[in-house]
Amino acid sequence: MERKFKCGDKVRLVSDTDENVVMTVRGYALELAMEDKSTSPFIKDFQTKLEALVTCDWRDKLDVPHQKDYKENELVKC
């Protein structure tokens, strides 16, 4: 399956404006979960749900780190 984003890409939500915080792609949720030995046995139950989720990192205005999964079609490269 061809991926729209790769690790390190700078993205934002399609609905965001230019002044919103830019996020960094950490990877696709399914791939990250498969790398984690504690969750990998349970992946098959959630594979379809995780397949199109992109995990992103960003810091808010107070420099507090955040991480969240977004659907691939909700994001656009900056």
Side-chain angles (χ1 to χ4, degrees):
M1 181 177 176
E2 188 175 329
R3 300 293 191 187
K4 185 175 177 181
F5 305 108
K6 63 182 187 301
C7 185
D9 281 349
K10 300 297 183 189
V11 297
R12 65 176 174 81
L13 291 171
V14 172
S15 60
D16 279 353
T17 60
D18 288 337
E19 54 270 355
N20 285 94
V21 176
V22 173
M23 299 180 284
T24 304
V25 173
R26 186 163 181 240
Y28 280 79
L30 177 62
E31 294 162 3
L32 294 172
M34 290 175 75
E35 290 173 4
D36 184 348
K37 300 297 180 204
S38 64
T39 59
S40 59
F42 308 103
I43 296 302
K44 290 190 189 278
D45 297 337
F46 302 102
Q47 187 168 355
T48 305
K49 184 177 180 183
L50 293 175
E51 223 164 22
L53 290 180
V54 180
T55 302
C56 297
D57 296 323
W58 77 96
R59 292 183 171 271
D60 64 20
K61 292 177 184 177
L62 300 174
D63 203 33
V64 176
H66 296 274
Q67 184 179 82
K68 188 173 177 182
D69 294 333
Y70 296 95
K71 292 179 183 175
E72 190 179 59
N73 63 351
E74 294 177 322
L75 299 171
V76 63
K77 281 187 184 181
C78 294

